[in-house]
């Protein structure tokens, strides 16, 4: 039995986890609009929030003005905060930076994006946070499960994912 386990471990080492990299192509105009944060490994700014909705508005200067609305635990009041999102210099890939507090910017990578821009997965190069967002408040279970499996393969601690909207 010990030999079999050793062989399996050696065999598994030849198949590294998927790379955690941003998508190669991003259409900034298509990405604009409203996204519902369905599941997350939250940032310090998002911990405890629920029913989070984010609206990205591409401005004439080439970056996004971002309006995030959310509710706090046991509170039905809707809160909001403004931030900015800056595309990469070439503006074509999913390597963005978020600015919640000036002048600090945080890596905000789009690591997966549906061809029709119906869902997006946002992560961090060091796996610090993860957001599964959709254009709708719900997502088919099969799609969710497949996304979570891919995120796990990229090294995210998917057991820390929390649901933002009632399932």
């Amino acid at each position: 039995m010990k030999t079999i386990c050793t062989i399996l471990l050696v065999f598994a080492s030849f198949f590294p986890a998927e790379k955690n990299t941003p998508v190669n192509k991003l259409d900034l105009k298509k990405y604009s609009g409203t996204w519902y944060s369905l599941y997350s490994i939250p940032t310090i700014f998002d911990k405890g929030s629920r029913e989070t909705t984010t609206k990205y508005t591409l401005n004439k200067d080439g970056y996004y003005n971002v309006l995030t609305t959310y509710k706090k635990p046991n509170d039905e009041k809707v809160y909001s905060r403004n931030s900015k999102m800056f595309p990469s210099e070439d503006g074509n890939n999913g390597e963005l930076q978020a600015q919640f507090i000036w002048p600090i910017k945080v890596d905000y990578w789009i690591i997966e994006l549906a061809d029709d821009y119906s869902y997006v997965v946002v992560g961090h190069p060091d796996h610090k946070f993860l957001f599964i967002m959709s254009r709708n408040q719900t997502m088919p279970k099969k799609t969710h499960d497949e996304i979570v499996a891919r995120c796990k393969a990229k090294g995210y601690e998917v057991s820390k994912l929390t649901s933002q909207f009632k399932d």
Side-chain angles (χ1 to χ4, degrees):
M1 182 66 169
K2 203 177 198 181
T3 305
I4 292 172
C5 289
T6 304
I7 291 170
L8 288 174
L9 284 174
V10 170
F11 185 71
S13 69
F14 289 111
F15 297 100
E18 287 183 42
K19 282 192 108 176
N20 183 41
T21 58
V23 296
N24 291 327
K25 193 81 172 140
L26 175 66
D27 182 321
L28 297 176
K29 288 181 182 175
K30 279 186 178 179
Y31 191 75
S32 294
T34 301
W35 291 95
Y36 296 92
S37 182
L38 303 181
Y39 304 92
S40 69
I41 299 173
T43 69
I44 59 170
F45 299 104
D46 305 301
K47 285 193 176 164
S49 66
R50 61 186 175 86
E51 298 180 36
T52 303
T53 303
T54 307
K55 183 175 182 180
Y56 297 85
T57 304
L58 189 60
N59 65 36
K60 62 180 173 41
D61 295 323
Y63 65 86
Y64 293 105
N65 294 313
V66 182
L67 174 64
T68 302
T69 59
Y70 59 97
K71 293 180 182 177
K72 294 179 180 179
N74 304 314
D75 188 350
E76 290 304 310
K77 180 180 173 187
V78 177
Y79 296 85
S80 66
R81 71 173 169 266
N82 292 299
S83 59
K84 296 176 181 176
M85 189 73 58
F86 296 90
S88 61
E89 286 189 26
D90 67 8
N92 287 331
N93 68 27
E95 192 171 336
L96 292 88
Q97 289 193 313
Q99 186 177 65
F100 302 105
I101 301 170
W102 185 86
I104 301 166
K105 292 181 182 175
V106 177
D107 287 325
Y108 182 98
W109 283 7
I110 297 172
I111 60 172
E112 187 171 326
L113 181 62
D115 291 338
D116 63 356
Y117 285 65
S118 61
Y119 74 82
V120 64
V121 182
V122 175
H124 185 271
D126 297 328
H127 304 91
K128 292 179 181 178
F129 58 79
L130 182 71
F131 295 94
I132 300 173
M133 301 188 299
S134 174
R135 296 292 189 176
N136 301 302
Q137 289 185 14
T138 61
M139 172 181 282
K141 182 175 178 5
K142 182 179 184 225
T143 304
H144 165 268
D145 292 348
E146 291 169 349
I147 291 170
V148 170
R150 288 189 295 270
C151 290
K152 184 176 182 177
K154 291 177 184 181
Y156 287 93
E157 292 184 56
V158 296
S159 63
K160 292 183 176 181
L161 281 169
T162 60
S163 178
Q164 292 284 305
F165 286 85
K166 293 179 182 175
D167 290 329

